[in-house]
Amino acid sequence: MPEQSLPKARTPEATTGEREAPSAHEAISRRRLLGTAGATGLVLGTAGAAVGYAAAPSEAAAPLTSLGTGRAMFHGKHQPGITDGLQARGHVVAFDLAAGAGRKEATALLRRWSETARRLMAGEPSPHDDTDVARDAGPSSLTITFGFGHSFFARTGLEKQRPTALDPLPEFSSDQLDKNRSDGDLWVQIGAHDALVAFHALRAIQKDAGRAARVRWQMNGFNRSPGATSHPMTARNLMGQIDGTRNPKPSEADFDQRVFVPEKGEPAWMANGSYAVVRRIRMLLDDWEQLSVTAQEDVIGRRKSDGAALSGGTETTAMDLEKTDAEGNLVVPINAHARITRPDQNGGAAMLRRPFSFHDGIDGDGVPDAGLLFICWQADPLRGFVPVQRKLDRGDALSQFIRHESSGLFAVPGGAAEGEYVGQKLLEG
């Protein structure tokens, strides 16, 4: 669980212009609402945004808030859900192709899924038997992302098109993996700022699978809602730590090189795509919370209050790895998580972390089943996730407080152009 796990949410100034909200008594049709949402642009991480509902006569539809009007685009160079800011609600689900299903069935399925994703991300009902769960909501920054697992290629006769970067991840000493909740032929990531919108998309994707594929595993997650803090800030994880300070940013010159497969990369169908490592990392919160705040900070290497490095400064101040205290001890411990995960300590290895927290109840011993649905993106996992995780395996102070319980690696092709579906270059190339 490297320290860069959580990217900062985008500010509204960077994503949309402000507009005057309609009056509470004005009756607004769903079509008009959605048309407005499409013109607004992508709205994420709105600090101080109005998220309440204005009173309105029963026969009139209440105006959507800025939370509902946010819209991400389905068509584009890259698939949605990679560089978009953190969303308040998420689902990740893996499917296996049904017995007897092959390339033909997979092609038809990706066509269906792509059309459903396009419509739902625009705030429209699903094309088949819509459940009306999201009938009253706008797009709510919904993103739906599709990927292929290692086993997909043998099932569809496309072994020659399987990327070498999709070779199985090595075993790590911290792994306690449940194979029934790992891997899969197909992977879908769903995120939105509204729980009902996210569930609606999950249900539509599941129904679209029909007889072509069955759910292998499914997990649910969440993040802080936009506007929950007085100003945009890096998110916190369930350990209470600010998490994501050093996440790569799209403004950095080498961002695309680290995160996306180049347009002339191999294989050709993965141009502008990325590789997602997905891990369910359980946090042993009862043990963690027994530590003093000082001890927790030594494990991480950063102050809990504001995310600043123990060597001083603010959250964004560069960490001084050589600084010592009056007794000559390193201020940032040698096994601190933030020290070990630094790119300059791992040959420049970096990845874009975009996870969700999870809480799946209390087990029979009264221990919370909670932690991080870790999702990271990179152009090549052998140059991103693997070297960092190997380094963590050799002596990360955080390792005794977490447990890796499931794992998956998926090839996520580039975005679909207008009139195309995701994975078309692979399935029809």
Side-chain angles (χ1 to χ4, degrees):
M1 190 178 58
E3 72 157 324
Q4 299 127 312
S5 297
L6 304 178
K8 295 182 180 179
R10 299 178 185 177
T11 61
E13 292 80 7
T15 56
T16 184
E18 295 183 356
R19 63 179 178 87
E20 184 177 353
S23 62
H25 66 271
E26 182 180 1
I28 304 175
S29 69
R30 177 171 172 79
R31 177 173 297 178
R32 178 179 172 186
L33 285 171
L34 297 177
T36 303
T40 302
L42 179 61
V43 180
L44 296 166
T46 309
V51 295
Y53 294 98
S58 59
E59 68 274 9
L64 290 174
T65 67
S66 59
L67 197 73
T69 58
R71 179 180 174 184
M73 297 295 107
F74 174 73
H75 295 295
K77 183 177 181 179
H78 309 297
Q79 285 197 60
I82 301 176
T83 59
D84 303 287
L86 294 178
Q87 292 145 306
R89 188 66 179 176
H91 304 288
V92 287
V93 54
F95 292 82
D96 285 335
L97 291 173
R103 183 173 177 179
K104 177 181 177 181
E105 291 77 13
T107 298
L109 176 56
L110 267 296
R111 284 184 181 274
R112 291 196 300 274
W113 274 352
S114 295
E115 177 60 12
T116 294
R118 183 192 67 79
R119 290 174 62 99
L120 295 185
M121 286 175 55
E124 301 171 7
S126 58
H128 311 292
D129 301 321
D130 190 86
T131 61
D132 282 344
V133 172
R135 183 182 183 89
D136 311 306
S140 301
S141 301
L142 173 69
T143 62
I144 305 177
T145 317
F146 303 102
F148 304 107
H150 184 276
S151 55
F152 176 83
F153 297 84
R155 299 291 305 277
T156 55
L158 292 166
E159 294 97 326
K160 292 182 179 180
Q161 292 296 322
R162 183 169 57 211
T164 56
L166 203 56
D167 287 348
L169 296 172
E171 294 182 359
F172 302 103
S173 63
S174 59
D175 287 354
Q176 298 184 35
L177 305 182
D178 178 355
K179 293 184 178 180
N180 292 324
R181 293 195 295 180
S182 299
D183 304 317
D185 294 341
L186 294 156
W187 176 71
V188 184
Q189 174 192 253
I190 296 168
H193 282 325
D194 179 76
L196 285 179
V197 168
F199 175 82
H200 178 245
L202 174 66
R203 185 70 179 123
I205 290 297
Q206 180 191 358
K207 290 172 66 177
D208 273 353
R211 297 182 178 180
R214 59 177 178 80
V215 173
R216 179 179 177 88
W217 54 261
Q218 188 251 317
M219 301 174 190
N220 310 309
F222 59 90
N223 285 305
R224 175 175 279 158
S225 297
T229 56
S230 60
H231 58 88
M233 60 181 294
T234 312
R236 291 184 185 272
N237 60 33
L238 297 189
M239 288 179 161
Q241 300 290 150
I242 287 181
D243 195 350
T245 299
R246 291 181 55 84
N247 219 24
K249 299 173 179 60
S251 59
E252 296 170 357
D254 60 351
F255 179 85
D256 281 0
Q257 179 183 344
R258 290 180 171 187
V259 176
F260 294 110
V261 176
E263 291 191 10
K264 296 184 179 180
E266 292 294 336
W269 66 268
M270 273 295 291
N272 300 314
S274 188
Y275 292 91
V277 173
V278 183
R279 297 212 138 199
R280 186 184 195 269
I281 303 177
R282 185 166 180 174
M283 295 175 172
L284 308 182
L285 295 178
D286 284 352
D287 294 339
W288 175 256
E289 291 163 5
Q290 289 179 10
L291 297 179
S292 67
V293 171
T294 299
Q296 291 177 353
E297 292 177 338
D298 283 342
V299 168
I300 301 299
R302 290 183 175 274
R303 291 201 300 257
K304 192 170 185 178
S305 60
D306 59 6
L310 296 184
S311 54
T314 66
E315 180 188 351
T316 57
T317 301
M319 183 177 290
D320 184 352
L321 300 180
E322 305 302 323
K323 186 174 182 178
T324 58
D325 60 20
E327 298 178 353
N329 299 313
L330 289 170
V331 174
V332 180
I334 196 68
N335 62 347
H337 184 75
R339 173 190 286 269
I340 293 175
T341 58
R342 287 171 57 95
D344 58 8
Q345 300 296 300
N346 294 281
M351 50 198 142
L352 176 66
R353 286 80 163 176
R354 193 178 180 277
F356 295 94
S357 293
F358 73 87
H359 179 223
D360 292 335
I362 309 296
D363 66 19
D365 296 327
V367 176
D369 183 7
L372 198 70
L373 297 182
F374 175 85
I375 304 170
C376 72
W377 301 90
Q378 58 261 288
D380 183 351
L382 291 178
R383 294 187 290 111
F385 173 79
V386 171
V388 177
Q389 189 59 35
R390 279 178 170 159
K391 188 78 170 290
L392 292 171
D393 240 18
R394 293 196 291 267
D396 176 26
L398 185 61
S399 62
Q400 63 181 302
F401 301 101
I402 61 175
R403 186 165 63 226
H404 291 239
E405 296 185 334
S406 68
S407 178
L409 171 61
F410 303 95
V412 177
E418 293 280 351
E420 294 182 350
Y421 63 90
V422 174
Q424 184 169 336
K425 293 180 176 64
L426 167 65
L427 292 163
E428 296 186 16

Short mmCIF file of all heavy atoms in Angstrom, two decimals, residues 230-277:
data_model
loop_
_atom_site.label_atom_id
_atom_site.label_comp_id
_atom_site.label_asym_id
_atom_site.label_seq_id
_atom_site.Cartn_x
_atom_site.Cartn_y
_atom_site.Cartn_z
N SER A 230 -13.40 21.69 4.11
CA SER A 230 -13.56 23.12 3.84
C SER A 230 -12.77 23.57 2.62
O SER A 230 -13.04 24.63 2.06
CB SER A 230 -13.12 23.94 5.06
OG SER A 230 -11.76 23.68 5.37
N HIS A 231 -11.78 22.78 2.21
CA HIS A 231 -11.00 23.10 1.02
C HIS A 231 -10.47 21.79 0.45
O HIS A 231 -10.35 20.79 1.18
CB HIS A 231 -9.85 24.05 1.36
CG HIS A 231 -8.91 23.50 2.40
ND1 HIS A 231 -7.83 22.70 2.09
CD2 HIS A 231 -8.91 23.61 3.76
CE1 HIS A 231 -7.20 22.35 3.20
NE2 HIS A 231 -7.83 22.89 4.22
N PRO A 232 -10.16 21.75 -0.84
CA PRO A 232 -9.63 20.51 -1.43
C PRO A 232 -8.35 20.08 -0.72
O PRO A 232 -7.48 20.90 -0.43
CB PRO A 232 -9.36 20.90 -2.89
CG PRO A 232 -10.25 22.06 -3.14
CD PRO A 232 -10.31 22.82 -1.84
N MET A 233 -8.25 18.80 -0.43
CA MET A 233 -7.06 18.30 0.25
C MET A 233 -6.87 16.83 -0.10
O MET A 233 -7.77 16.16 -0.59
CB MET A 233 -7.18 18.47 1.77
CG MET A 233 -8.36 17.74 2.39
SD MET A 233 -8.48 17.98 4.18
CE MET A 233 -6.98 17.17 4.74
N THR A 234 -5.66 16.34 0.16
CA THR A 234 -5.36 14.93 -0.05
C THR A 234 -6.23 14.10 0.89
O THR A 234 -6.45 14.47 2.04
CB THR A 234 -3.88 14.65 0.23
OG1 THR A 234 -3.08 15.62 -0.44
CG2 THR A 234 -3.49 13.25 -0.25
N ALA A 235 -6.71 12.97 0.39
CA ALA A 235 -7.62 12.15 1.17
C ALA A 235 -6.90 11.44 2.31
O ALA A 235 -5.68 11.36 2.36
CB ALA A 235 -8.30 11.13 0.26
N ARG A 236 -7.69 10.90 3.23
CA ARG A 236 -7.18 10.07 4.30
C ARG A 236 -7.65 8.64 4.10
O ARG A 236 -8.73 8.40 3.57
CB ARG A 236 -7.66 10.56 5.68
CG ARG A 236 -7.05 11.89 6.10
CD ARG A 236 -7.48 12.28 7.51
NE ARG A 236 -6.98 13.61 7.86
CZ ARG A 236 -5.80 13.86 8.42
NH1 ARG A 236 -5.00 12.85 8.72
NH2 ARG A 236 -5.42 15.09 8.70
N ASN A 237 -6.84 7.68 4.55
CA ASN A 237 -7.26 6.29 4.51
C ASN A 237 -7.88 5.91 5.86
O ASN A 237 -8.02 6.74 6.76
CB ASN A 237 -6.09 5.38 4.13
CG ASN A 237 -4.92 5.47 5.11
OD1 ASN A 237 -5.10 5.67 6.31
ND2 ASN A 237 -3.70 5.33 4.59
N LEU A 238 -8.25 4.64 6.02
CA LEU A 238 -8.93 4.21 7.23
C LEU A 238 -8.02 4.12 8.44
O LEU A 238 -8.49 3.92 9.56
CB LEU A 238 -9.62 2.86 7.00
CG LEU A 238 -10.72 2.84 5.93
CD1 LEU A 238 -11.46 1.52 5.96
CD2 LEU A 238 -11.69 4.01 6.10
N MET A 239 -6.72 4.29 8.23
CA MET A 239 -5.79 4.42 9.36
C MET A 239 -5.69 5.86 9.84
O MET A 239 -4.99 6.15 10.80
CB MET A 239 -4.40 3.91 8.95
CG MET A 239 -4.34 2.40 8.80
SD MET A 239 -2.69 1.84 8.29
CE MET A 239 -2.77 0.09 8.75
N GLY A 240 -6.38 6.75 9.15
CA GLY A 240 -6.36 8.16 9.53
C GLY A 240 -5.21 8.94 8.95
O GLY A 240 -5.04 10.12 9.25
N GLN A 241 -4.43 8.30 8.08
CA GLN A 241 -3.26 8.96 7.50
C GLN A 241 -3.63 9.67 6.20
O GLN A 241 -4.39 9.13 5.38
CB GLN A 241 -2.17 7.93 7.20
CG GLN A 241 -1.67 7.16 8.41
CD GLN A 241 -0.86 8.00 9.37
OE1 GLN A 241 -0.86 7.75 10.58
NE2 GLN A 241 -0.16 8.98 8.84
N ILE A 242 -3.09 10.85 5.98
CA ILE A 242 -3.18 11.50 4.68
C ILE A 242 -2.40 10.64 3.69
O ILE A 242 -1.25 10.29 3.93
CB ILE A 242 -2.64 12.93 4.74
CG1 ILE A 242 -3.64 13.82 5.49
CG2 ILE A 242 -2.36 13.47 3.35
CD1 ILE A 242 -3.24 15.27 5.59
N ASP A 243 -3.05 10.27 2.60
CA ASP A 243 -2.50 9.23 1.73
C ASP A 243 -2.63 9.66 0.27
O ASP A 243 -3.74 9.81 -0.24
CB ASP A 243 -3.28 7.94 1.97
CG ASP A 243 -2.60 6.71 1.41
OD1 ASP A 243 -1.62 6.86 0.68
OD2 ASP A 243 -3.05 5.59 1.72
N GLY A 244 -1.50 9.86 -0.39
CA GLY A 244 -1.51 10.25 -1.79
C GLY A 244 -0.68 11.47 -2.11
O GLY A 244 -0.76 12.02 -3.20
N THR A 245 0.15 11.89 -1.16
CA THR A 245 0.91 13.13 -1.31
C THR A 245 1.80 13.11 -2.55
O THR A 245 1.89 14.10 -3.28
CB THR A 245 1.76 13.36 -0.06
OG1 THR A 245 0.90 13.48 1.08
CG2 THR A 245 2.60 14.62 -0.20
N ARG A 246 2.46 11.98 -2.82
CA ARG A 246 3.42 11.94 -3.92
C ARG A 246 2.88 11.22 -5.14
O ARG A 246 3.66 10.74 -5.98
CB ARG A 246 4.72 11.28 -3.44
CG ARG A 246 5.50 12.12 -2.44
CD ARG A 246 6.80 11.43 -2.03
NE ARG A 246 7.63 11.09 -3.19
CZ ARG A 246 8.47 11.93 -3.79
NH1 ARG A 246 8.58 13.16 -3.35
NH2 ARG A 246 9.20 11.53 -4.81
N ASN A 247 1.57 11.13 -5.27
CA ASN A 247 1.00 10.49 -6.46
C ASN A 247 1.41 11.26 -7.72
O ASN A 247 1.40 12.50 -7.72
CB ASN A 247 -0.52 10.48 -6.35
CG ASN A 247 -1.13 9.20 -6.87
OD1 ASN A 247 -0.48 8.17 -6.91
ND2 ASN A 247 -2.37 9.27 -7.28
N PRO A 248 1.79 10.55 -8.79
CA PRO A 248 2.12 11.26 -10.04
C PRO A 248 0.96 12.13 -10.50
O PRO A 248 -0.21 11.77 -10.32
CB PRO A 248 2.39 10.11 -11.02
CG PRO A 248 2.75 8.95 -10.18
CD PRO A 248 1.95 9.09 -8.92
N LYS A 249 1.29 13.26 -11.11
CA LYS A 249 0.26 14.20 -11.56
C LYS A 249 0.31 14.36 -13.08
O LYS A 249 1.40 14.38 -13.67
CB LYS A 249 0.47 15.55 -10.87
CG LYS A 249 0.35 15.47 -9.35
CD LYS A 249 0.72 16.78 -8.70
CE LYS A 249 0.57 16.70 -7.19
NZ LYS A 249 1.41 15.64 -6.60
N PRO A 250 -0.87 14.49 -13.71
CA PRO A 250 -0.89 14.64 -15.17
C PRO A 250 -0.07 15.81 -15.68
O PRO A 250 0.37 15.81 -16.84
CB PRO A 250 -2.38 14.83 -15.48
CG PRO A 250 -3.08 14.13 -14.35
CD PRO A 250 -2.22 14.39 -13.15
N SER A 251 0.18 16.80 -14.84
CA SER A 251 0.96 17.96 -15.25
C SER A 251 2.45 17.66 -15.36
O SER A 251 3.20 18.44 -15.96
CB SER A 251 0.74 19.12 -14.27
OG SER A 251 1.13 18.73 -12.95
N GLU A 252 2.90 16.54 -14.81
CA GLU A 252 4.32 16.19 -14.85
C GLU A 252 4.71 15.68 -16.23
O GLU A 252 3.95 14.95 -16.87
CB GLU A 252 4.63 15.16 -13.76
CG GLU A 252 4.41 15.70 -12.36
CD GLU A 252 4.48 14.62 -11.29
OE1 GLU A 252 4.63 13.43 -11.65
OE2 GLU A 252 4.37 14.98 -10.10
N ALA A 253 5.90 16.02 -16.66
CA ALA A 253 6.33 15.73 -18.03
C ALA A 253 6.35 14.24 -18.34
O ALA A 253 6.08 13.84 -19.48
CB ALA A 253 7.72 16.33 -18.27
N ASP A 254 6.66 13.40 -17.36
CA ASP A 254 6.77 11.97 -17.62
C ASP A 254 5.53 11.19 -17.18
O ASP A 254 5.58 9.96 -17.07
CB ASP A 254 8.00 11.40 -16.94
CG ASP A 254 7.97 11.57 -15.42
OD1 ASP A 254 7.08 12.29 -14.92
OD2 ASP A 254 8.85 11.00 -14.74
N PHE A 255 4.43 11.87 -16.92
CA PHE A 255 3.22 11.20 -16.43
C PHE A 255 2.73 10.13 -17.40
O PHE A 255 2.53 8.98 -17.04
CB PHE A 255 2.11 12.22 -16.16
CG PHE A 255 0.83 11.62 -15.67
CD1 PHE A 255 0.63 11.35 -14.32
CD2 PHE A 255 -0.20 11.30 -16.55
CE1 PHE A 255 -0.55 10.78 -13.85
CE2 PHE A 255 -1.39 10.73 -16.10
CZ PHE A 255 -1.56 10.47 -14.75
N ASP A 256 2.53 10.52 -18.66
CA ASP A 256 2.04 9.55 -19.64
C ASP A 256 2.99 8.39 -19.82
O ASP A 256 2.57 7.23 -19.97
CB ASP A 256 1.81 10.24 -20.99
CG ASP A 256 0.51 11.04 -21.03
OD1 ASP A 256 -0.20 11.06 -20.01
OD2 ASP A 256 0.21 11.65 -22.07
N GLN A 257 4.27 8.66 -19.79
CA GLN A 257 5.27 7.61 -19.94
C GLN A 257 5.18 6.59 -18.81
O GLN A 257 5.37 5.39 -19.02
CB GLN A 257 6.67 8.23 -19.97
CG GLN A 257 7.81 7.23 -20.10
CD GLN A 257 9.17 7.92 -20.04
OE1 GLN A 257 9.28 9.14 -20.21
NE2 GLN A 257 10.20 7.14 -19.82
N ARG A 258 4.87 7.04 -17.62
CA ARG A 258 4.77 6.14 -16.48
C ARG A 258 3.45 5.38 -16.45
O ARG A 258 3.41 4.23 -16.01
CB ARG A 258 4.90 6.94 -15.17
CG ARG A 258 6.28 7.49 -14.91
CD ARG A 258 6.30 8.25 -13.60
NE ARG A 258 7.65 8.62 -13.21
CZ ARG A 258 7.96 9.17 -12.04
NH1 ARG A 258 7.00 9.41 -11.17
NH2 ARG A 258 9.21 9.48 -11.76
N VAL A 259 2.37 6.01 -16.91
CA VAL A 259 1.03 5.46 -16.69
C VAL A 259 0.47 4.75 -17.91
O VAL A 259 -0.20 3.71 -17.78
CB VAL A 259 0.07 6.58 -16.23
CG1 VAL A 259 -1.36 6.05 -16.10
CG2 VAL A 259 0.55 7.17 -14.91
N PHE A 260 0.77 5.24 -19.13
CA PHE A 260 0.10 4.72 -20.32
C PHE A 260 1.07 4.05 -21.30
O PHE A 260 2.23 4.47 -21.44
CB PHE A 260 -0.64 5.85 -21.05
CG PHE A 260 -1.79 6.42 -20.25
CD1 PHE A 260 -1.72 7.69 -19.72
CD2 PHE A 260 -2.93 5.66 -20.03
CE1 PHE A 260 -2.77 8.22 -18.98
CE2 PHE A 260 -3.98 6.17 -19.28
CZ PHE A 260 -3.90 7.46 -18.77
N VAL A 261 0.58 3.03 -21.97
CA VAL A 261 1.33 2.38 -23.04
C VAL A 261 1.43 3.37 -24.21
O VAL A 261 0.42 3.97 -24.59
CB VAL A 261 0.62 1.09 -23.49
CG1 VAL A 261 1.35 0.45 -24.67
CG2 VAL A 261 0.51 0.11 -22.33
N PRO A 262 2.60 3.58 -24.79
CA PRO A 262 2.72 4.55 -25.89
C PRO A 262 1.92 4.12 -27.11
O PRO A 262 1.60 2.94 -27.28
CB PRO A 262 4.22 4.58 -26.17
CG PRO A 262 4.76 3.32 -25.59
CD PRO A 262 3.89 2.98 -24.43
N GLU A 263 1.62 5.08 -27.98
CA GLU A 263 0.81 4.80 -29.17
C GLU A 263 1.47 3.78 -30.09
O GLU A 263 0.79 3.04 -30.79
CB GLU A 263 0.52 6.10 -29.93
CG GLU A 263 -0.42 7.03 -29.19
CD GLU A 263 -0.89 8.18 -30.06
OE1 GLU A 263 -0.63 8.14 -31.28
OE2 GLU A 263 -1.51 9.12 -29.52
N LYS A 264 2.79 3.73 -30.08
CA LYS A 264 3.50 2.76 -30.91
C LYS A 264 4.07 1.62 -30.07
O LYS A 264 5.02 0.95 -30.48
CB LYS A 264 4.61 3.46 -31.69
CG LYS A 264 4.10 4.48 -32.69
CD LYS A 264 5.22 5.09 -33.50
CE LYS A 264 4.69 6.09 -34.52
NZ LYS A 264 5.77 6.72 -35.33
N GLY A 265 3.45 1.39 -28.91
CA GLY A 265 3.91 0.32 -28.05
C GLY A 265 3.42 -1.04 -28.51
O GLY A 265 2.72 -1.17 -29.51
N GLU A 266 3.82 -2.07 -27.77
CA GLU A 266 3.43 -3.45 -28.07
C GLU A 266 2.66 -4.05 -26.89
O GLU A 266 3.00 -3.79 -25.74
CB GLU A 266 4.68 -4.29 -28.36
CG GLU A 266 5.40 -3.90 -29.64
CD GLU A 266 4.59 -4.20 -30.89
OE1 GLU A 266 3.70 -5.09 -30.81
OE2 GLU A 266 4.81 -3.56 -31.92
N PRO A 267 1.62 -4.83 -27.23
CA PRO A 267 1.04 -5.03 -28.57
C PRO A 267 0.27 -3.80 -29.01
O PRO A 267 -0.12 -2.97 -28.19
CB PRO A 267 0.11 -6.23 -28.36
CG PRO A 267 -0.29 -6.15 -26.92
CD PRO A 267 0.91 -5.62 -26.19
N ALA A 268 0.02 -3.69 -30.32
CA ALA A 268 -0.56 -2.48 -30.88
C ALA A 268 -1.95 -2.19 -30.31
O ALA A 268 -2.33 -1.02 -30.17
CB ALA A 268 -0.63 -2.61 -32.41
N TRP A 269 -2.71 -3.23 -29.95
CA TRP A 269 -4.07 -2.99 -29.45
C TRP A 269 -4.09 -2.35 -28.07
O TRP A 269 -5.12 -1.83 -27.62
CB TRP A 269 -4.87 -4.30 -29.44
CG TRP A 269 -4.38 -5.35 -28.47
CD1 TRP A 269 -3.50 -6.34 -28.73
CD2 TRP A 269 -4.76 -5.48 -27.10
NE1 TRP A 269 -3.30 -7.11 -27.60
CE2 TRP A 269 -4.06 -6.59 -26.59
CE3 TRP A 269 -5.62 -4.79 -26.25
CZ2 TRP A 269 -4.19 -7.03 -25.27
CZ3 TRP A 269 -5.75 -5.21 -24.93
CH2 TRP A 269 -5.05 -6.32 -24.46
N MET A 270 -2.92 -2.33 -27.39
CA MET A 270 -2.84 -1.69 -26.07
C MET A 270 -2.39 -0.24 -26.14
O MET A 270 -2.16 0.40 -25.11
CB MET A 270 -1.89 -2.48 -25.18
CG MET A 270 -2.55 -3.61 -24.42
SD MET A 270 -3.79 -3.05 -23.22
CE MET A 270 -2.75 -2.25 -21.99
N ALA A 271 -2.29 0.34 -27.33
CA ALA A 271 -1.89 1.74 -27.46
C ALA A 271 -2.79 2.63 -26.62
O ALA A 271 -4.02 2.51 -26.67
CB ALA A 271 -1.94 2.17 -28.93
N ASN A 272 -2.17 3.50 -25.83
CA ASN A 272 -2.87 4.45 -24.95
C ASN A 272 -3.61 3.77 -23.81
O ASN A 272 -4.41 4.41 -23.11
CB ASN A 272 -3.84 5.33 -25.74
CG ASN A 272 -3.15 6.14 -26.82
OD1 ASN A 272 -2.11 6.74 -26.55
ND2 ASN A 272 -3.69 6.14 -28.02
N GLY A 273 -3.34 2.48 -23.62
CA GLY A 273 -3.94 1.77 -22.51
C GLY A 273 -3.04 1.79 -21.29
O GLY A 273 -2.01 2.48 -21.24
N SER A 274 -3.40 1.02 -20.27
CA SER A 274 -2.64 0.96 -19.03
C SER A 274 -2.86 -0.40 -18.38
O SER A 274 -3.75 -1.15 -18.80
CB SER A 274 -3.08 2.08 -18.08
OG SER A 274 -2.23 2.17 -16.96
N TYR A 275 -2.06 -0.71 -17.39
CA TYR A 275 -2.20 -1.97 -16.66
C TYR A 275 -2.61 -1.66 -15.22
O TYR A 275 -1.98 -0.83 -14.55
CB TYR A 275 -0.89 -2.76 -16.68
CG TYR A 275 -0.55 -3.27 -18.06
CD1 TYR A 275 0.23 -2.51 -18.93
CD2 TYR A 275 -1.04 -4.49 -18.51
CE1 TYR A 275 0.52 -2.97 -20.21
CE2 TYR A 275 -0.75 -4.96 -19.78
CZ TYR A 275 0.02 -4.19 -20.63
OH TYR A 275 0.30 -4.64 -21.90
N ALA A 276 -3.68 -2.32 -14.78
CA ALA A 276 -4.20 -2.11 -13.44
C ALA A 276 -3.84 -3.29 -12.54
O ALA A 276 -4.13 -4.44 -12.88
CB ALA A 276 -5.71 -1.94 -13.47
N VAL A 277 -3.19 -2.99 -11.43
CA VAL A 277 -3.00 -3.98 -10.37
C VAL A 277 -4.08 -3.70 -9.33
O VAL A 277 -4.24 -2.55 -8.87
CB VAL A 277 -1.60 -3.89 -9.73
CG1 VAL A 277 -1.50 -4.82 -8.51
CG2 VAL A 277 -0.53 -4.25 -10.75
#
